[in-house]
Amino acid sequence: MIASRNTRRALLALLLSFFAAASFAQRQPAKTYEPEVGQAGKDVVWVPTSNALVNKMLDMAKVTPTDHVIDLGSGDGRTVIAAAKRGARAHGIEYNPDMVELSKRAAAKEGVSEKATFAKADLFESDFSQATVITMFLLPDINIKLRPKILSLKPGTRIVSNSFTMGEWTADQTETVSEGCTSYCTAYLWIVPAKVEGTWKLPQGELTLKQTFQTLTGTLNTGGGSARISNAKMNGDRIVFTVGGAQYTGQVKGTTIEGTVKSSDGTRNWSAIRAGGAA
Ligand SMILES: C[S@@+](CC[C@H](N)C(=O)[O-])C[C@H]1O[C@@H](n2cnc3c(N)ncnc32)[C@H](O)[C@@H]1O
């Protein structure tokens, strides 16, 4: 009898201490996730871009409220949130689910949840074709792997990368920040060029273009002979080249180019229609 009373007392004490512990745990705020710089990621570790370089990258891309910015591997969401604060629609693709939740909380805190969204996804399996601006801080080999997909984006799409280049596709602009940044302080900008390689018919002859990313070489054949083009370049869907002392500028719209040509005779319009070659 004594033993069973003692057992009951012990059981009661055990139960009381269990409920006390449970109620204490309930009163404690849930421990918030704290990411660690250098923590493993699926293909790249997490190292945040300094806020100074984030701003420089968005400046280089000339982000406006009409843009749709996508950060590939968005980490703690800082680039997406900064773009949303500029009024752009911004989206982060991040493999680590804790970082995604952390980013959503940060966006809510900054009051930009409507414009800054995040998805837990693998950037290699994600569709980012709707972006007008891509930001990234990945690795050189990942940039190269993504390059064909990036080059197939709409001409004029701006790509900004923290620190890592795109192989032989040279950047259109490079900027380094010194204030507010101690490591990984250089950003590169590329503008996706329209694909113009091939032959184009002009009223006065034929323009043949060879294209290496944004750089062009080629010839203009007219009744008067053949002349090499120079200073030839794409800037998104804008083409520029010089031939025979005349400077051609134009906009590529699918299978046509329309623009103006400036020479010592003045300025006149020109146009061309694709006659052959890769579209
Ligand atoms: C160097 S951090 C850059 C973070 C952020 N973009 C910034 O600039 O502050 C790279 C991020 O990519 C994420 N990541 C790595 N591999 C990924 C993958 N395959 N798909 C999506 N995210 C990935 C990592 O978890 C990490 O947060």
Side-chain angles (χ1 to χ4, degrees):
M1 191 68 180
I2 289 173
S4 75
R5 198 179 296 144
N6 281 345
T7 311
R8 265 188 266 131
R9 271 198 201 125
L11 269 172
L12 193 64
L14 197 71
L15 267 173
L16 282 173
S17 63
F18 171 77
F19 284 122
S23 109
F24 176 77
Q26 253 178 7
R27 272 183 277 119
Q28 293 310 300
K31 201 166 177 267
T32 45
Y33 172 71
E34 295 268 358
E36 265 179 46
V37 174
Q39 72 188 19
K42 181 171 180 285
D43 297 289
V44 192
V45 300
W46 175 62
V47 175
T49 297
S50 70
N51 291 320
L53 196 67
V54 166
N55 284 324
K56 176 59 80 179
M57 287 167 73
L58 299 179
D59 287 348
M60 289 167 81
K62 298 189 170 73
V63 170
T64 73
T66 61
D67 278 311
H68 183 182
V69 179
I70 298 186
D71 191 27
L72 303 179
S74 50
D76 63 3
R78 61 182 60 201
T79 307
V80 173
I81 292 167
K85 282 180 157 179
R86 292 185 183 209
R89 184 149 62 101
H91 183 67
I93 299 170
E94 170 58 52
Y95 197 78
N96 180 329
D98 292 323
M99 295 302 267
V100 171
E101 292 311 311
L102 180 87
S103 303
K104 286 181 180 170
R105 286 195 294 275
K109 206 169 151 197
E110 297 292 330
V112 291
S113 294
E114 293 219 338
K115 288 200 173 262
T117 57
F118 297 91
K120 191 267 155 203
D122 186 335
L123 63 91
F124 286 111
E125 283 159 25
S126 299
D127 176 15
F128 47 85
S129 59
Q130 293 311 307
T132 58
V133 174
I134 295 282
T135 53
M136 55 199 205
F137 180 18
L138 298 167
L139 283 171
D141 59 320
I142 296 182
N143 289 5
I144 298 289
K145 216 166 145 189
L146 287 171
R147 202 172 70 184
K149 208 167 161 180
I150 287 174
L151 281 163
S152 72
L153 294 173
K154 196 170 170 291
T157 305
R158 291 90 81 207
I159 317 298
V160 206
S161 166
N162 178 350
S163 292
F164 301 114
T165 57
M166 205 78 80
E168 61 279 28
W169 182 13
T170 53
D172 291 296
Q173 191 187 344
T174 303
E175 296 282 349
T176 299
V177 295
S178 44
E179 254 177 59
C181 185
T182 49
S183 55
Y184 301 107
C185 302
T186 296
Y188 299 92
L189 168 81
W190 296 262
I191 298 168
V192 173
K195 295 181 180 68
V196 293
E197 176 149 320
T199 314
W200 297 79
K201 274 254 175 277
L202 281 73
Q204 72 272 33
E206 200 172 73
L207 174 68
T208 303
L209 297 173
K210 179 134 186 52
Q211 180 168 16
T212 309
F213 304 106
Q214 68 274 62
T215 306
L216 303 172
T217 54
T219 50
L220 180 64
N221 294 302
T222 59
S226 170
R228 281 200 167 279
I229 63 168
S230 60
N231 305 318
K233 207 174 172 258
M234 295 305 301
N235 184 337
D237 62 1
R238 303 260 157 195
I239 186 170
V240 55
F241 60 91
T242 304
V243 63
Q247 200 201 19
Y248 287 70
T249 54
Q251 188 181 10
V252 181
K253 290 181 191 157
T255 55
T256 61
I257 306 177
E258 280 175 13
T260 53
V261 50
K262 272 188 201 162
S263 67
S264 52
D265 298 339
T267 302
R268 61 175 175 80
N269 293 334
W270 73 285
S271 64
I273 296 174
R274 186 179 273 287

